[in-house]
Amino acid sequence: MNLKRQLFVASLLMLLIPWAGLQFVLELDDALRQQARQQLQAQAARLAETAGDRIIGTPVISPDEPVIYVEPLAGNLNLDGYGGDWPGYDEENEAGSWQGSARPDVEGPSLQWQATTDQRNLYLLIRISQRQPVFFNPGNPDQAHDRLRLWLKPAPGNLARESIQQSWLLRTPAPGQLYGLEETTRQPDYRISGFMQDTGEGWQIELKLPLPADRSRLGFAALWGTDQSIGVSTPFDPLPVLVSRNLALERQLEPRLNPGQRARLVEPAGWVIARQHSDPGTSAPEFDSLSPLQVVEQISLNALRGLVRFYQPEPVAIETDTNRIATDSLPEEGLVRHEDDSVWLLTTRPVFGGRTLILEQSLDQLLTLSGSTLGSVIARSTLIIVAMTLVLLGYASWLSWRITRLQKAVSGSIDEDGRITGTVPESRAKDELGQLQRHFSLMVDRLHGYNRYLESFSRRLSHELKTPVAVVRSSLENLNHCDSEDERRQYIDRAASATERLRQILHGMSEAARLEQSLDHADKEPFDLAEVAAEATAAYQALDSSHEIRYAGPEAGCVMAGSPELMVQLLDKLVDNARDFTPRQGLIEVGLETTAGELCLSVFNQGSTLPEDAATDIFSPFVSMRDGQEEGHLGQGLLIVSLIADYHGARVEGRNRTQGGIDGVSFRVIIPAIHS
């Protein structure tokens, strides 16, 4: 998997932040629902007590009793007989838009009605369909005509008029205004007025009468001919009870509701006698007034609501816009869903007289209170995650481009045979990739140098081996043509000398190889370099009386970590090299000094100086500055010195130097303080 995909997968782990937020919201929603359920139950108990005190003495409507439900009127009615300003009025004459209907004969006329009140008057809208009207003929009162009969029985409790049932007759000679006619006295009652209009498929009448007391009974019937009628009652049947909402109770419930709550009081028969709700108090802001971040927050909050609903228990669907509720189909408590797909928390409480109080709390309101801030946090964290993912992908692409460029540079510096053909350009970047490119550049340079060293080593080795081999070969060839014993002896000695030269070459190479192998397994230990240098110098002077070999430096106190045996071997090679170039009775001085953070071990010899152009190659194998008159020196000594110095983390250098007025050469081994 490449770096870009790895960073992409790593960035996906940041999605745990909104996931953890969602889990918190779900737990918070469950806790809030539990708390809201308890508070709702306590509040429902208080509201039920308030409602019970308010409706004490109000008769209870039994389930089998006929009812005319009177809706409160919002606005004004124009009493003209057309009904276009009635709530829910439908010109297509659909039964669903009316509060009640009656059709005794499937193929005969049908009656539909609506009732409403403005708290002063009762308004009735009655339509007869599939019946062409026959208007009243004042010149022939006994002629059959269409008319409306109205009955009213006052509510129980009015002792003076409790048993009195009034009736009115409404008829008109032509479409237009009409008034009620008391059937007992045959006197007009102008309190009851209305308009009658022809609808083309029947006739329609719109009435206004003084609002009867609550629980009064009202009946009406349309009549034509002598014995044909249709209506909601007859004088001999129980008249329907007028049921309307208790607005005083609704006003009393309003301040007791919390924002986002709805309350309904229901009769045992299911009729709603009180209905009140409290607005949430917060409205959705206009889309044009939102900033882009607020738009994202609203989208996140809506998505949060959807997720919370997905994990919530399945709500029970109920109807809320009806005037009659089947209380036995409602759960005592739990989640319910309204027609607008909103979810509510519902609880019920019994009220005096077998009535039921239904109290609901909007879950959207709860989620708005608990989740708006968290939804904002989740939305912003999502934006941050997306931005960070894009940044990480861009950063990964940049890193991938840099790595690919470095890979191409390294591959372009080496050919198919492994030869170094170019260099890796150095990077100015100060990060790890820049350091890696600089290290690759240094490594390629070192490999290039090592390749040159190997190539020169093979040439030098070939040159060193060519001379003794040629001597051996020529001596053997001449040996076959010699006649005297002296000539044979001479050629045999020459061949033996060349063979010894070959042995020394091979021994020198193996010595350097053995030293490199021993360095891999050598252990470092602390030792005093001053004591080692002083003792070794005294031994050199004791073994060589033809040179003045002395030590200049402290006798002790120069502790370093390394191998004392290898440091003695280093001094052996430097002093042995110095003897070859120092004239008899010349000076060889082993010195040791301490500087700021370094130890400097030096060997100075009096004698010839180094050529300026060869000073950098003297530590390579088979390099010797001798004139060639002395055999057995293969140029391996300074190579061994360089290997031992590298093992101790030191560097070695050789240069011409004048010391005390004496010209010569000085080899210095500089050991950093970290190794001393």
PDB file of all heavy atoms in Angstrom, residues 35-60:
ATOM      1  N   GLN A  35     -36.356  11.044  31.012  1.00  0.00           N
ATOM      2  CA  GLN A  35     -36.644  12.170  31.896  1.00  0.00           C
ATOM      3  C   GLN A  35     -37.910  12.905  31.458  1.00  0.00           C
ATOM      4  O   GLN A  35     -38.740  13.284  32.293  1.00  0.00           O
ATOM      5  CB  GLN A  35     -35.451  13.122  31.907  1.00  0.00           C
ATOM      6  CG  GLN A  35     -35.625  14.314  32.844  1.00  0.00           C
ATOM      7  CD  GLN A  35     -34.422  15.237  32.810  1.00  0.00           C
ATOM      8  OE1 GLN A  35     -33.526  15.056  32.006  1.00  0.00           O
ATOM      9  NE2 GLN A  35     -34.419  16.226  33.685  1.00  0.00           N
ATOM     10  N   ALA A  36     -38.050  13.107  30.130  1.00  0.00           N
ATOM     11  CA  ALA A  36     -39.247  13.784  29.630  1.00  0.00           C
ATOM     12  C   ALA A  36     -40.500  12.968  29.924  1.00  0.00           C
ATOM     13  O   ALA A  36     -41.565  13.537  30.215  1.00  0.00           O
ATOM     14  CB  ALA A  36     -39.116  14.040  28.134  1.00  0.00           C
ATOM     15  N   ARG A  37     -40.416  11.632  29.869  1.00  0.00           N
ATOM     16  CA  ARG A  37     -41.574  10.794  30.167  1.00  0.00           C
ATOM     17  C   ARG A  37     -41.999  10.976  31.621  1.00  0.00           C
ATOM     18  O   ARG A  37     -43.200  11.111  31.919  1.00  0.00           O
ATOM     19  CB  ARG A  37     -41.246   9.335  29.877  1.00  0.00           C
ATOM     20  CG  ARG A  37     -42.416   8.393  30.146  1.00  0.00           C
ATOM     21  CD  ARG A  37     -42.063   6.952  29.845  1.00  0.00           C
ATOM     22  NE  ARG A  37     -41.895   6.742  28.418  1.00  0.00           N
ATOM     23  CZ  ARG A  37     -40.741   6.490  27.820  1.00  0.00           C
ATOM     24  NH1 ARG A  37     -39.630   6.418  28.549  1.00  0.00           N
ATOM     25  NH2 ARG A  37     -40.669   6.305  26.520  1.00  0.00           N
ATOM     26  N   GLN A  38     -41.009  10.999  32.524  1.00  0.00           N
ATOM     27  CA  GLN A  38     -41.352  11.190  33.934  1.00  0.00           C
ATOM     28  C   GLN A  38     -41.945  12.573  34.172  1.00  0.00           C
ATOM     29  O   GLN A  38     -42.948  12.718  34.892  1.00  0.00           O
ATOM     30  CB  GLN A  38     -40.096  10.990  34.787  1.00  0.00           C
ATOM     31  CG  GLN A  38     -39.524   9.583  34.719  1.00  0.00           C
ATOM     32  CD  GLN A  38     -38.212   9.451  35.463  1.00  0.00           C
ATOM     33  OE1 GLN A  38     -37.719  10.414  36.057  1.00  0.00           O
ATOM     34  NE2 GLN A  38     -37.633   8.263  35.449  1.00  0.00           N
ATOM     35  N   GLN A  39     -41.323  13.594  33.574  1.00  0.00           N
ATOM     36  CA  GLN A  39     -41.861  14.947  33.740  1.00  0.00           C
ATOM     37  C   GLN A  39     -43.242  15.070  33.101  1.00  0.00           C
ATOM     38  O   GLN A  39     -44.128  15.749  33.646  1.00  0.00           O
ATOM     39  CB  GLN A  39     -40.897  15.962  33.132  1.00  0.00           C
ATOM     40  CG  GLN A  39     -39.559  16.049  33.841  1.00  0.00           C
ATOM     41  CD  GLN A  39     -38.607  17.010  33.157  1.00  0.00           C
ATOM     42  OE1 GLN A  39     -38.867  17.484  32.052  1.00  0.00           O
ATOM     43  NE2 GLN A  39     -37.493  17.299  33.812  1.00  0.00           N
ATOM     44  N   LEU A  40     -43.421  14.408  31.953  1.00  0.00           N
ATOM     45  CA  LEU A  40     -44.706  14.478  31.269  1.00  0.00           C
ATOM     46  C   LEU A  40     -45.793  13.799  32.090  1.00  0.00           C
ATOM     47  O   LEU A  40     -46.935  14.278  32.151  1.00  0.00           O
ATOM     48  CB  LEU A  40     -44.577  13.829  29.894  1.00  0.00           C
ATOM     49  CG  LEU A  40     -45.548  14.296  28.810  1.00  0.00           C
ATOM     50  CD1 LEU A  40     -45.304  15.763  28.497  1.00  0.00           C
ATOM     51  CD2 LEU A  40     -45.363  13.459  27.541  1.00  0.00           C
ATOM     52  N   GLN A  41     -45.458  12.696  32.742  1.00  0.00           N
ATOM     53  CA  GLN A  41     -46.441  12.016  33.582  1.00  0.00           C
ATOM     54  C   GLN A  41     -46.848  12.890  34.772  1.00  0.00           C
ATOM     55  O   GLN A  41     -48.026  12.995  35.112  1.00  0.00           O
ATOM     56  CB  GLN A  41     -45.871  10.684  34.060  1.00  0.00           C
ATOM     57  CG  GLN A  41     -45.703   9.653  32.955  1.00  0.00           C
ATOM     58  CD  GLN A  41     -44.958   8.422  33.425  1.00  0.00           C
ATOM     59  OE1 GLN A  41     -44.420   8.392  34.538  1.00  0.00           O
ATOM     60  NE2 GLN A  41     -44.908   7.397  32.578  1.00  0.00           N
ATOM     61  N   ALA A  42     -45.846  13.527  35.392  1.00  0.00           N
ATOM     62  CA  ALA A  42     -46.161  14.404  36.527  1.00  0.00           C
ATOM     63  C   ALA A  42     -46.983  15.604  36.069  1.00  0.00           C
ATOM     64  O   ALA A  42     -47.953  16.012  36.739  1.00  0.00           O
ATOM     65  CB  ALA A  42     -44.867  14.862  37.206  1.00  0.00           C
ATOM     66  N   GLN A  43     -46.609  16.174  34.903  1.00  0.00           N
ATOM     67  CA  GLN A  43     -47.356  17.320  34.392  1.00  0.00           C
ATOM     68  C   GLN A  43     -48.768  16.918  33.987  1.00  0.00           C
ATOM     69  O   GLN A  43     -49.728  17.665  34.220  1.00  0.00           O
ATOM     70  CB  GLN A  43     -46.613  17.939  33.217  1.00  0.00           C
ATOM     71  CG  GLN A  43     -47.220  19.230  32.712  1.00  0.00           C
ATOM     72  CD  GLN A  43     -46.431  19.813  31.559  1.00  0.00           C
ATOM     73  OE1 GLN A  43     -45.519  19.169  31.042  1.00  0.00           O
ATOM     74  NE2 GLN A  43     -46.770  21.029  31.156  1.00  0.00           N
ATOM     75  N   ALA A  44     -48.931  15.726  33.402  1.00  0.00           N
ATOM     76  CA  ALA A  44     -50.268  15.258  33.017  1.00  0.00           C
ATOM     77  C   ALA A  44     -51.149  15.067  34.244  1.00  0.00           C
ATOM     78  O   ALA A  44     -52.362  15.352  34.203  1.00  0.00           O
ATOM     79  CB  ALA A  44     -50.149  13.955  32.227  1.00  0.00           C
ATOM     80  N   ALA A  45     -50.545  14.594  35.330  1.00  0.00           N
ATOM     81  CA  ALA A  45     -51.336  14.433  36.557  1.00  0.00           C
ATOM     82  C   ALA A  45     -51.834  15.784  37.058  1.00  0.00           C
ATOM     83  O   ALA A  45     -52.997  15.926  37.480  1.00  0.00           O
ATOM     84  CB  ALA A  45     -50.489  13.739  37.623  1.00  0.00           C
ATOM     85  N   ARG A  46     -50.982  16.824  36.994  1.00  0.00           N
ATOM     86  CA  ARG A  46     -51.407  18.157  37.445  1.00  0.00           C
ATOM     87  C   ARG A  46     -52.477  18.731  36.516  1.00  0.00           C
ATOM     88  O   ARG A  46     -53.471  19.317  36.972  1.00  0.00           O
ATOM     89  CB  ARG A  46     -50.196  19.089  37.507  1.00  0.00           C
ATOM     90  CG  ARG A  46     -49.180  18.703  38.569  1.00  0.00           C
ATOM     91  CD  ARG A  46     -48.158  19.804  38.762  1.00  0.00           C
ATOM     92  NE  ARG A  46     -47.386  20.055  37.559  1.00  0.00           N
ATOM     93  CZ  ARG A  46     -46.240  19.468  37.258  1.00  0.00           C
ATOM     94  NH1 ARG A  46     -45.733  18.551  38.088  1.00  0.00           N
ATOM     95  NH2 ARG A  46     -45.590  19.761  36.153  1.00  0.00           N
ATOM     96  N   LEU A  47     -52.292  18.565  35.196  1.00  0.00           N
ATOM     97  CA  LEU A  47     -53.275  19.076  34.255  1.00  0.00           C
ATOM     98  C   LEU A  47     -54.605  18.339  34.386  1.00  0.00           C
ATOM     99  O   LEU A  47     -55.681  18.938  34.233  1.00  0.00           O
ATOM    100  CB  LEU A  47     -52.742  18.960  32.830  1.00  0.00           C
ATOM    101  CG  LEU A  47     -51.542  19.842  32.474  1.00  0.00           C
ATOM    102  CD1 LEU A  47     -51.106  19.582  31.034  1.00  0.00           C
ATOM    103  CD2 LEU A  47     -51.889  21.309  32.666  1.00  0.00           C
ATOM    104  N   ALA A  48     -54.557  17.039  34.639  1.00  0.00           N
ATOM    105  CA  ALA A  48     -55.802  16.270  34.807  1.00  0.00           C
ATOM    106  C   ALA A  48     -56.576  16.759  36.026  1.00  0.00           C
ATOM    107  O   ALA A  48     -57.818  16.854  36.010  1.00  0.00           O
ATOM    108  CB  ALA A  48     -55.481  14.783  34.937  1.00  0.00           C
ATOM    109  N   GLU A  49     -55.849  17.085  37.081  1.00  0.00           N
ATOM    110  CA  GLU A  49     -56.518  17.612  38.278  1.00  0.00           C
ATOM    111  C   GLU A  49     -57.146  18.969  37.983  1.00  0.00           C
ATOM    112  O   GLU A  49     -58.284  19.243  38.397  1.00  0.00           O
ATOM    113  CB  GLU A  49     -55.502  17.719  39.411  1.00  0.00           C
ATOM    114  CG  GLU A  49     -56.105  18.183  40.722  1.00  0.00           C
ATOM    115  CD  GLU A  49     -55.079  18.212  41.837  1.00  0.00           C
ATOM    116  OE1 GLU A  49     -53.918  17.800  41.591  1.00  0.00           O
ATOM    117  OE2 GLU A  49     -55.419  18.659  42.948  1.00  0.00           O
ATOM    118  N   THR A  50     -56.389  19.826  37.230  1.00  0.00           N
ATOM    119  CA  THR A  50     -56.934  21.138  36.879  1.00  0.00           C
ATOM    120  C   THR A  50     -58.177  21.000  35.996  1.00  0.00           C
ATOM    121  O   THR A  50     -59.199  21.669  36.216  1.00  0.00           O
ATOM    122  CB  THR A  50     -55.865  21.956  36.143  1.00  0.00           C
ATOM    123  OG1 THR A  50     -54.734  22.128  37.003  1.00  0.00           O
ATOM    124  CG2 THR A  50     -56.399  23.312  35.739  1.00  0.00           C
ATOM    125  N   ALA A  51     -58.111  20.121  35.002  1.00  0.00           N
ATOM    126  CA  ALA A  51     -59.245  19.928  34.102  1.00  0.00           C
ATOM    127  C   ALA A  51     -60.434  19.341  34.841  1.00  0.00           C
ATOM    128  O   ALA A  51     -61.599  19.704  34.585  1.00  0.00           O
ATOM    129  CB  ALA A  51     -58.833  19.039  32.937  1.00  0.00           C
ATOM    130  N   GLY A  52     -60.192  18.420  35.759  1.00  0.00           N
ATOM    131  CA  GLY A  52     -61.291  17.825  36.511  1.00  0.00           C
ATOM    132  C   GLY A  52     -62.023  18.841  37.354  1.00  0.00           C
ATOM    133  O   GLY A  52     -63.263  18.820  37.456  1.00  0.00           O
ATOM    134  N   ASP A  53     -61.261  19.766  37.966  1.00  0.00           N
ATOM    135  CA  ASP A  53     -61.916  20.816  38.764  1.00  0.00           C
ATOM    136  C   ASP A  53     -62.735  21.746  37.883  1.00  0.00           C
ATOM    137  O   ASP A  53     -63.773  22.269  38.313  1.00  0.00           O
ATOM    138  CB  ASP A  53     -60.852  21.619  39.517  1.00  0.00           C
ATOM    139  CG  ASP A  53     -60.126  20.771  40.558  1.00  0.00           C
ATOM    140  OD1 ASP A  53     -60.680  19.733  40.956  1.00  0.00           O
ATOM    141  OD2 ASP A  53     -59.002  21.145  40.954  1.00  0.00           O
ATOM    142  N   ARG A  54     -62.272  21.935  36.655  1.00  0.00           N
ATOM    143  CA  ARG A  54     -62.940  22.894  35.778  1.00  0.00           C
ATOM    144  C   ARG A  54     -64.250  22.349  35.199  1.00  0.00           C
ATOM    145  O   ARG A  54     -65.190  23.109  34.959  1.00  0.00           O
ATOM    146  CB  ARG A  54     -62.002  23.261  34.624  1.00  0.00           C
ATOM    147  CG  ARG A  54     -62.529  24.341  33.702  1.00  0.00           C
ATOM    148  CD  ARG A  54     -62.545  25.676  34.388  1.00  0.00           C
ATOM    149  NE  ARG A  54     -63.162  26.692  33.544  1.00  0.00           N
ATOM    150  CZ  ARG A  54     -63.312  27.964  33.885  1.00  0.00           C
ATOM    151  NH1 ARG A  54     -62.876  28.368  35.067  1.00  0.00           N
ATOM    152  NH2 ARG A  54     -63.891  28.818  33.063  1.00  0.00           N
ATOM    153  N   ILE A  55     -64.335  21.041  34.974  1.00  0.00           N
ATOM    154  CA  ILE A  55     -65.504  20.487  34.285  1.00  0.00           C
ATOM    155  C   ILE A  55     -66.415  19.714  35.226  1.00  0.00           C
ATOM    156  O   ILE A  55     -67.261  18.932  34.779  1.00  0.00           O
ATOM    157  CB  ILE A  55     -65.059  19.563  33.136  1.00  0.00           C
ATOM    158  CG1 ILE A  55     -64.235  18.391  33.686  1.00  0.00           C
ATOM    159  CG2 ILE A  55     -64.282  20.330  32.098  1.00  0.00           C
ATOM    160  CD1 ILE A  55     -63.860  17.387  32.621  1.00  0.00           C
ATOM    161  N   ILE A  56     -66.232  19.917  36.535  1.00  0.00           N
ATOM    162  CA  ILE A  56     -67.155  19.267  37.476  1.00  0.00           C
ATOM    163  C   ILE A  56     -68.575  19.800  37.232  1.00  0.00           C
ATOM    164  O   ILE A  56     -68.793  21.011  37.125  1.00  0.00           O
ATOM    165  CB  ILE A  56     -66.715  19.535  38.926  1.00  0.00           C
ATOM    166  CG1 ILE A  56     -65.441  18.745  39.243  1.00  0.00           C
ATOM    167  CG2 ILE A  56     -67.825  19.142  39.900  1.00  0.00           C
ATOM    168  CD1 ILE A  56     -64.928  18.985  40.641  1.00  0.00           C
ATOM    169  N   GLY A  57     -69.504  18.919  37.125  1.00  0.00           N
ATOM    170  CA  GLY A  57     -70.893  19.292  36.858  1.00  0.00           C
ATOM    171  C   GLY A  57     -71.263  19.231  35.396  1.00  0.00           C
ATOM    172  O   GLY A  57     -72.450  19.332  35.067  1.00  0.00           O
ATOM    173  N   THR A  58     -70.304  19.095  34.517  1.00  0.00           N
ATOM    174  CA  THR A  58     -70.604  18.970  33.092  1.00  0.00           C
ATOM    175  C   THR A  58     -71.011  17.539  32.803  1.00  0.00           C
ATOM    176  O   THR A  58     -70.277  16.600  33.144  1.00  0.00           O
ATOM    177  CB  THR A  58     -69.386  19.353  32.246  1.00  0.00           C
ATOM    178  OG1 THR A  58     -68.985  20.681  32.580  1.00  0.00           O
ATOM    179  CG2 THR A  58     -69.721  19.263  30.766  1.00  0.00           C
ATOM    180  N   PRO A  59     -72.205  17.325  32.203  1.00  0.00           N
ATOM    181  CA  PRO A  59     -72.652  15.946  31.937  1.00  0.00           C
ATOM    182  C   PRO A  59     -71.660  15.201  31.039  1.00  0.00           C
ATOM    183  O   PRO A  59     -71.038  15.780  30.148  1.00  0.00           O
ATOM    184  CB  PRO A  59     -74.004  16.136  31.249  1.00  0.00           C
ATOM    185  CG  PRO A  59     -74.450  17.508  31.635  1.00  0.00           C
ATOM    186  CD  PRO A  59     -73.211  18.319  31.791  1.00  0.00           C
ATOM    187  N   VAL A  60     -71.544  13.928  31.292  1.00  0.00           N
ATOM    188  CA  VAL A  60     -70.670  13.064  30.500  1.00  0.00           C
ATOM    189  C   VAL A  60     -71.458  12.494  29.337  1.00  0.00           C
ATOM    190  O   VAL A  60     -72.614  12.061  29.499  1.00  0.00           O
ATOM    191  CB  VAL A  60     -70.083  11.934  31.361  1.00  0.00           C
ATOM    192  CG1 VAL A  60     -69.215  11.013  30.510  1.00  0.00           C
ATOM    193  CG2 VAL A  60     -69.286  12.512  32.519  1.00  0.00           C
TER     194      VAL A  60
END
